[in-house]
Amino acid sequence: MPAPLATRAPGSPTARAAALRSDLAHLLSSDDRLFAFGRRAAWVLLPFGLAMVLLVYGTGPDPRRNWYGDPLGNDFVQVWVAGRSALEGRGADPYDLPVHLANLKAACGQACRFAWHYPPVFLLPAAAMALLDLQPAYLLWTALSLALFALAMRVAAGRRDAAFVALAHPLVLCNLVYGQNGLFTASLLTLGAVLVDRRPWLAGLCFGLLAYKPHFAALAPLLLLVTGRRECLAACASTVLALCLASLALFGTAPWTGFLGTLGDTNRIILQNAAASLNLNASAFGAVRLLGGSMAAAWTAQGLVAVLALGLACRAWSRPTDPTLRAAALLVSAPLLSPYLPVYDLAPLVPAVLLLALAAHRAGGLRPRERALLCAVPLFAVVREAAALTGFPLGFVLSMATFACIAKRVMPRSVTPSRRRSGTGGAEALTEPAAAGSGRAA
C-alpha cells in the first residue's frame, strides 16, 4: 500500500509560499535586513531612474521637447525662460503672466500654463542656467541638484551607503523628472539643520539661500531667534540681504515691483482656482479641497496642521533634544506650514526619514510604526496618481505619518529603560551621523 503524500513536501508550492511569508515577516521585523534590502534596491532603482530622466525627459525628437511631447525638462523650462528674460534686460516679464506665457510658447513651440511665483532672487540662478541652451541647462540643473542632495545626505547620515539609499527615494526621481527645485530646498534645509552647532555661519548661509522659497525659508530664522543662535541668524540675514541687493543691482526694481503686485494673483491662481490641479497639492489645505471641502474648512485644517508643525519644531529646538531629531523636526515641519505643497516639494521628508532612522538606531531600533513608514516609501511614487484616481490625499497622509513618528521621538510619554527596545537589528545597519557629537541644543 503506497504511503500517503505529504501535504507540504519540500519544494511544493504550499511550502514555498509559507517560506516566502516567513521570509517577508522576518524582513519587516529586522532593521538590518530592511536596510540591506534598501541598499540592494537602490542599486537597481537609482541607475534606472537616472537613465529614464536623461533619455526620456532630457531628450526628444524636437530639440525643445521630450519624448512625451512636453517641454524639455517639464517645469524647468520656465526657469530657463525667466532667466533668459532677465539676461535680456526684461526681468519683469515673468511677473506679467500673458507675456511670460508668450515667452514660454516661443521657447518650446507650444502653449504652456506655467505661472512664475518666485521672488526676484530666484532670477539669479535662473539667469545662470539661461547662459546655456535649454537642453544642456536642464542636464546641468539635474546634475547640480543631485550632487548637492547627495552631499547633504552624506553629511546628515555620516556614511555613504545610507546616503545612497536616500538617493533612490521616489521623491528624488520626481524632482528630476519635473525639473523642479525641491532637491535644492531639501539639501539646504538639511545642511543648515545638521550644521547649525558645528558650523553656524555655513548653516546660516544655507538657510539664507532658501530665500527663493519664502514659505519654506521662514521657519529656520524663527527657530534661530527663539533659541538665541545669533551667529547663525546673522549669517542667514546677511545672505538674504546680499541676494536681494544682487537681484536689484543686476535686474533693477521692476522685478520686485512685479513680484509684489502679483502676490494676490498667486493666491487666486494657486489656491482658489487650483490651476495646478488639486491632485498636485499635498498640503492640509489641498487635502481638504481634494476631498470636496470648502475654502473655510481647508484654511481651518491648514491652520491646525501649521500650529502642530510649529509646536513640534519649537519643542525640538528650544529644549534638550537629540540633534538628529532636532534636524528631522525642522525638515518635517517646514513643508507642513505651507497651504501649497506640490508633491515634489515633499522632498525634505527624505532626509527627515533618514534622520529618524538614525535616531531610532541609537535608541535601540526602529519601532513598528517607523518600520511601517519605511516600508511605505514606494507609495511616494504614486502620490499624485492616487489622488487623481481615487480622490484620496495620499501625499498629505504620508507627510502626517512621518510627522507623527518624529513627534513621538521628540515628545515621548516616558523615557524609562523598560520602554526602550533592545531590538533585533540596527546596530550593524546604521551608524551615527558625523553631527552626533555636536551636543544638545541649549
Side-chain angles (χ1 to χ4, degrees), residues 140-408:
L140 177 61
W141 178 268
T142 298
L144 289 176
S145 62
L146 195 62
L148 183 61
F149 189 75
L151 172 65
M153 297 306 99
R154 176 67 175 84
V155 171
R159 57 184 293 176
R160 294 178 182 175
D161 52 357
F164 184 69
V165 173
L167 286 173
H169 196 287
L171 288 174
V172 175
L173 177 61
C174 173
N175 270 273
L176 299 181
V177 166
Y178 276 102
Q180 270 291 343
N181 52 44
L183 295 184
F184 289 109
T185 303
S187 301
L188 293 172
L189 272 175
T190 302
L191 290 171
V194 300
L195 296 175
V196 68
D197 289 329
R198 291 185 297 151
R199 300 286 187 273
W201 276 95
L202 182 56
L205 173 67
C206 292
F207 287 142
L209 289 174
L210 283 168
Y212 68 89
K213 223 159 201 171
H215 51 298
F216 273 69
L219 181 57
L222 174 62
L223 296 175
L224 297 177
L225 180 64
V226 168
T227 58
R229 290 178 165 86
R230 296 187 182 90
E231 189 177 0
C232 190
L233 183 61
C236 177
S238 300
T239 302
V240 174
L241 179 60
L243 291 174
C244 293
L245 292 176
S247 69
L248 283 169
L250 292 173
F251 311 124
T253 59
W256 283 99
T257 303
F259 170 68
L260 295 175
T262 59
L263 291 179
D265 292 335
T266 298
N267 174 66
R268 174 180 56 81
I269 293 172
I270 293 296
L271 297 179
Q272 295 182 22
N273 297 344
S277 74
L278 288 173
N279 56 59
L280 182 67
N281 190 359
S283 69
F285 180 95
V288 173
R289 294 291 289 153
L290 181 66
L291 293 170
S294 65
M295 290 289 290
W299 279 116
T300 300
Q302 181 60 44
L304 291 173
V305 169
V307 168
L308 289 174
L310 188 60
L312 174 66
C314 289
R315 166 62 176 79
W317 281 68
S318 62
R319 298 185 183 182
T321 305
D322 180 342
T324 304
L325 286 175
R326 185 184 64 201
L330 170 60
L331 287 161
V332 77
S333 297
L336 293 175
L337 296 178
S338 175
Y340 181 60
L341 184 61
V343 294
Y344 43 77
D345 274 344
L346 293 173
L349 296 184
V350 181
V353 172
L354 175 63
L355 292 168
L356 172 64
L358 292 167
H361 158 63
R362 289 200 299 273
L366 291 167
R367 295 167 178 167
R369 64 177 67 89
E370 294 163 349
R371 193 174 291 110
L373 176 65
L374 290 177
C375 293
V377 160
L379 292 178
F380 279 102
V382 295
V383 162
R384 187 172 187 181
E385 289 73 13
L389 293 174
T390 67
F392 180 72
L394 180 60
F396 174 68
V397 170
L398 291 172
S399 298
M400 292 307 296
T402 307
F403 177 84
C405 288
I406 293 173
K408 182 66 175 177

Side-chain angles (χ1 to χ4, degrees), residues 42-60 66-68 72 135 138-139 142-143 146 167-168 172-174 176-177:
W43 278 108
V44 176
L45 294 176
L46 185 57
F48 174 78
L50 290 177
M52 186 172 70
V53 168
L54 296 177
L55 298 178
V56 178
Y57 294 95
T59 62
N66 61 35
W67 289 98
Y68 282 104
L72 197 67
Q135 185 180 46
Y138 167 65
L139 296 177
T142 298
L146 195 62
L167 286 173
V172 175
L173 177 61
C174 173
L176 299 181
V177 166

